[in-house]
Amino acid sequence: MKFSKEIKAVLIILSGVFLFLLGYNFLNGTSLFKKENRLYALYENVEGLQVGTKVTVNGLSVGKVAKIDFLPNTTKILVSFTIRNDVVFSKNSVAELYEAGLIGGKSIA
Protein backbone atom coordinates (compact mmCIF):
# COMPACT_ATOMS: atom_id res chain seq x y z
CA MET A 1 0.00 0.00 0.00
CA LYS A 2 1.50 3.34 -1.07
CA PHE A 3 0.74 6.63 0.62
CA SER A 4 1.19 9.99 -1.01
CA LYS A 5 3.62 12.51 0.45
CA GLU A 6 0.75 14.61 1.82
CA ILE A 7 -0.73 11.71 3.79
CA LYS A 8 2.69 10.83 5.20
CA ALA A 9 3.20 14.45 6.25
CA VAL A 10 -0.22 14.58 7.96
CA LEU A 11 0.51 11.33 9.83
CA ILE A 12 3.87 12.65 11.02
CA ILE A 13 2.33 15.95 12.17
CA LEU A 14 -0.54 14.22 14.01
CA SER A 15 1.83 11.80 15.76
CA GLY A 16 4.05 14.75 16.73
CA VAL A 17 1.11 16.63 18.25
CA PHE A 18 0.03 13.50 20.16
CA LEU A 19 3.55 12.95 21.53
CA PHE A 20 3.77 16.63 22.51
CA LEU A 21 0.49 16.42 24.47
CA LEU A 22 1.55 13.17 26.12
CA GLY A 23 4.93 14.66 27.12
CA TYR A 24 3.37 17.89 28.40
CA ASN A 25 0.93 15.98 30.61
CA PHE A 26 3.75 13.74 31.86
CA LEU A 27 5.88 16.73 32.83
CA ASN A 28 2.85 18.41 34.39
CA GLY A 29 2.27 15.37 36.59
CA THR A 30 -1.05 14.30 35.08
CA SER A 31 -1.95 11.31 32.99
CA LEU A 32 -4.29 10.99 30.05
CA PHE A 33 -5.06 7.38 30.88
CA LYS A 34 -5.46 7.32 34.67
CA LYS A 35 -8.76 8.23 36.27
CA GLU A 36 -8.53 10.41 39.36
CA ASN A 37 -11.12 11.67 41.82
CA ARG A 38 -11.45 15.42 42.30
CA LEU A 39 -12.21 16.58 45.85
CA TYR A 40 -12.76 20.04 47.31
CA ALA A 41 -11.98 21.62 50.67
CA LEU A 42 -12.74 25.04 52.18
CA TYR A 43 -10.17 26.90 54.26
CA GLU A 44 -10.00 30.26 55.99
CA ASN A 45 -6.24 30.56 55.33
CA VAL A 46 -4.04 28.34 53.15
CA GLU A 47 -0.74 29.81 54.45
CA GLY A 48 1.51 29.08 51.45
CA LEU A 49 -0.27 26.11 49.89
CA GLN A 50 0.51 26.03 46.16
CA VAL A 51 -0.90 24.30 43.10
CA GLY A 52 0.98 21.04 42.53
CA THR A 53 1.83 20.29 46.16
CA LYS A 54 1.32 16.77 47.46
CA VAL A 55 -1.78 15.32 49.06
CA THR A 56 -0.82 12.54 51.48
CA VAL A 57 -2.55 9.83 53.48
CA ASN A 58 -0.44 8.56 56.40
CA GLY A 59 2.68 9.91 54.68
CA LEU A 60 1.97 8.24 51.30
CA SER A 61 1.54 10.63 48.38
CA VAL A 62 -1.86 9.93 46.76
CA GLY A 63 -2.51 13.09 44.77
CA LYS A 64 -1.84 16.77 44.27
CA VAL A 65 -3.47 20.18 44.59
CA ALA A 66 -5.11 21.16 41.30
CA LYS A 67 -6.55 24.64 41.90
CA ILE A 68 -6.77 27.29 44.62
CA ASP A 69 -9.28 30.13 44.38
CA PHE A 70 -11.66 32.26 46.43
CA LEU A 71 -15.19 30.98 46.92
CA PRO A 72 -17.50 33.52 45.25
CA ASN A 73 -19.08 36.11 47.57
CA THR A 74 -17.14 34.90 50.64
CA THR A 75 -13.69 35.23 52.17
CA LYS A 76 -13.14 31.45 52.24
CA ILE A 77 -10.66 29.75 49.93
CA LEU A 78 -11.73 26.75 47.83
CA VAL A 79 -8.98 24.19 47.23
CA SER A 80 -9.50 21.57 44.54
CA PHE A 81 -7.27 18.49 44.62
CA THR A 82 -7.07 15.16 42.82
CA ILE A 83 -6.40 11.78 44.38
CA ARG A 84 -5.95 8.27 43.03
CA ASN A 85 -9.09 6.26 42.29
CA ASP A 86 -8.19 3.43 44.67
CA VAL A 87 -8.15 5.70 47.74
CA VAL A 88 -11.55 5.85 49.47
CA PHE A 89 -12.56 8.27 52.23
CA SER A 90 -15.59 8.50 54.49
CA LYS A 91 -17.80 11.57 54.41
CA ASN A 92 -16.46 12.55 57.85
CA SER A 93 -12.83 12.77 56.66
CA VAL A 94 -10.93 16.02 57.21
CA ALA A 95 -8.28 17.47 54.87
CA GLU A 96 -5.72 19.19 57.12
CA LEU A 97 -2.90 21.50 56.08
CA TYR A 98 0.54 20.68 57.50
CA GLU A 99 4.14 21.86 57.11
CA ALA A 100 5.75 19.79 54.37
CA GLY A 101 9.36 20.60 55.22
CA LEU A 102 11.80 22.83 57.04
CA ILE A 103 11.91 25.54 54.41
CA GLY A 104 8.18 26.09 54.40
CA GLY A 105 5.27 25.36 52.19
CA LYS A 106 2.18 23.40 53.01
CA SER A 107 0.68 20.09 51.97
CA ILE A 108 -2.67 18.43 52.55
CA ALA A 109 -3.03 15.35 54.75
Side-chain angles (χ1 to χ4, degrees):
M1 177 184 274
K2 286 192 168 192
F3 293 115
S4 68
K5 290 181 181 180
E6 292 85 6
I7 293 176
K8 288 179 185 177
V10 167
L11 290 175
I12 290 173
I13 290 171
L14 288 177
S15 63
V17 168
F18 176 75
L19 289 174
F20 172 77
L21 290 174
L22 194 64
Y24 177 78
N25 284 328
F26 174 75
L27 292 175
N28 196 21
T30 59
S31 175
L32 293 174
F33 307 112
K34 286 184 182 176
K35 297 282 185 184
E36 293 179 329
N37 292 329
R38 183 170 292 255
L39 300 174
Y40 301 92
L42 283 175
Y43 296 103
E44 295 288 332
N45 187 354
V46 292
E47 298 176 359
L49 184 69
Q50 296 179 352
V51 173
T53 57
K54 293 190 298 184
V55 176
T56 61
V57 174
N58 295 334
L60 176 67
S61 179
V62 295
K64 68 176 192 164
V65 175
K67 186 177 177 183
I68 302 171
D69 205 359
F70 283 104
L71 193 62
N73 301 323
T74 67
T75 59
K76 294 188 185 254
I77 299 171
L78 179 66
V79 177
S80 169
F81 54 96
T82 59
I83 60 165
R84 298 185 330 210
N85 246 1
D86 60 343
V87 179
V88 180
F89 296 106
S90 70
K91 291 185 178 185
N92 298 330
S93 297
V94 176
E96 294 181 348
L97 296 176
Y98 72 97
E99 292 286 335
L102 296 174
I103 296 174
K106 298 278 188 175
S107 289
I108 298 177

